[in-house]
Amino acid sequence: MTHVEDELTSQPECWARAASQAAHHAKVLPAPGERVAIVGCGTSYFMARAAAALREGAGQGETDAFAASEFPHGRRYDRVVALTRSGTTTEILDLLSRLKGATPTTAITADPDTPVRTAAGELAVLDFADERSVVQTRFATTALTLLRAHLGLHPDAAVTDARTALAEPLPEGLVECGQFTFLGRGWTVGLADEAGLKMREAALAWAEAYPAMEYRHGPISVSTRGTATWMLGDAPDGLAQQVCDTGALWIAGRLDPLAELVRVQRLAVAVAASRGLDPDSPRHLTRSVILAP
């Protein structure tokens, strides 16, 4: 078993633990009414986008999400939350250092014994969700679970659905597809982007992601036999039939959207195996992006 396989199968337990710790971390996480920015890089950026949409949609306050390198320093926020598994990513550390003394910051990390300890004002540590793999799975989803629970939006069914996602076989014919498109709505648009990234990182697959309603505005033209379109969450009326009419394989989101992402993680590993690739050694990638001075 690869590191990524071992880690992705532990997600139900990690989510349950993170949800149980939400109250403990509440004092360093955004309070209702605060104007908040959530930042990250790569996978963490996509989780930031999902969390921001959830928080603002819940009426907790204006919430933006940015890639750390694209943070708009001309805007004022009551708190900036950084998602960083390693605690060593250059763009995150640079941003936190620049905000220090001016804006309250919190880093959600798996490793507090890194430079993020002094760069961030506060830490929420999820060390039980740390990973050896380059390709992120459980830390990202566990961090999002913590934020969902903090907002009162973590359903008990999510953990049950994650176990289902790990136990059920993948849909027949899916691994053999040559192109994958992932769709989301609202907070699951970030999950769809993350799903596409997992396929590209682990399996070198042709994978795209879009807001579901935007899929009709051009991208559906790539759908045909031998491609797959996967919906994370509820699909717009009529879209499933439109995709099926192209000859593409349609995968409906039956489970909690975060659990659907677990199914995609499994798919990425399965496609990598079918292509003779090692998902623990993705091409051109390292576990943390640390830029030389």
Side-chain angles (χ1 to χ4, degrees):
M1 182 177 288
T2 62
H3 294 317
V4 69
E5 285 178 283
D6 181 56
E7 289 158 359
L8 74 85
T9 58
S10 70
Q11 287 174 108
E13 292 72 30
C14 288
W15 297 2
R17 187 168 175 180
S20 72
Q21 293 183 1
H24 170 74
H25 292 297
K27 62 183 180 297
V28 303
L29 297 177
E34 286 186 331
R35 188 167 189 252
V36 173
I38 309 176
V39 300
C41 300
T43 288
S44 292
Y45 168 52
F46 296 140
M47 296 298 103
R49 286 174 51 195
L54 280 169
R55 184 175 187 270
E56 189 159 316
Q60 293 273 328
E62 185 176 346
T63 314
D64 297 321
F66 302 103
S69 59
E70 298 299 320
F71 184 81
H73 288 278
R75 297 188 188 181
R76 296 181 62 86
Y77 290 98
D78 298 313
R79 180 170 297 275
V80 172
V81 177
L83 306 183
T84 172
R85 176 180 65 172
S86 69
T88 60
T89 303
T90 297
E91 298 102 299
I92 292 288
L93 296 177
D94 286 351
L95 174 59
L96 291 174
S97 296
R98 185 167 174 181
L99 294 174
K100 198 165 189 175
T103 302
T105 59
T106 296
I108 301 176
T109 186
D111 188 353
D113 297 321
T114 59
V116 77
R117 175 182 290 279
T118 55
E122 305 282 358
L123 294 182
V125 178
L126 302 175
D127 50 2
F128 57 88
D130 202 358
E131 298 164 323
R132 295 179 63 185
S133 60
V134 172
V135 176
Q136 282 201 56
T137 55
R138 72 182 180 191
F139 174 75
T141 60
T142 301
L144 183 54
T145 296
L146 175 68
L147 292 170
R148 286 180 86 184
H150 175 66
L151 295 169
L153 298 175
H154 170 69
D156 292 338
V159 173
T160 302
D161 282 357
R163 293 193 175 102
T164 299
L166 292 168
E168 289 186 347
L170 293 170
E172 186 176 351
L174 187 58
V175 172
E176 292 73 30
C177 287
Q179 187 274 346
F180 304 88
T181 299
F182 300 95
L183 306 178
R185 301 178 81 179
W187 72 281
T188 70
V189 173
L191 299 189
D193 279 321
E194 169 60 8
L197 180 62
K198 285 288 91 66
M199 296 299 297
R200 293 189 292 273
E201 287 179 326
L204 304 183
W206 174 16
E208 301 177 348
Y210 304 96
M213 293 297 288
E214 285 296 304
Y215 188 53
R216 297 181 174 100
H217 295 272
I220 196 172
S221 64
V222 305
S223 296
T224 187
R225 292 188 179 276
T227 72
T229 301
W230 192 321
M231 184 72 213
L232 283 81
D234 296 329
D237 291 342
L239 184 57
Q241 187 58 55
Q242 284 182 288
V243 171
C244 290
D245 288 344
T246 70
L249 179 63
W250 169 261
I251 307 297
R254 301 179 293 101
L255 306 173
D256 179 88
L258 204 54
E260 286 292 324
L261 183 58
V262 175
R263 296 177 73 203
V264 177
Q265 293 168 351
R266 289 183 57 215
L267 172 64
V269 171
V271 172
S274 74
R275 298 180 178 185
L277 300 172
D278 178 4
D280 280 341
S281 301
R283 192 169 63 182
H284 311 313
L285 295 178
T286 57
R287 187 174 179 275
S288 174
V289 176
I290 302 173
L291 304 178

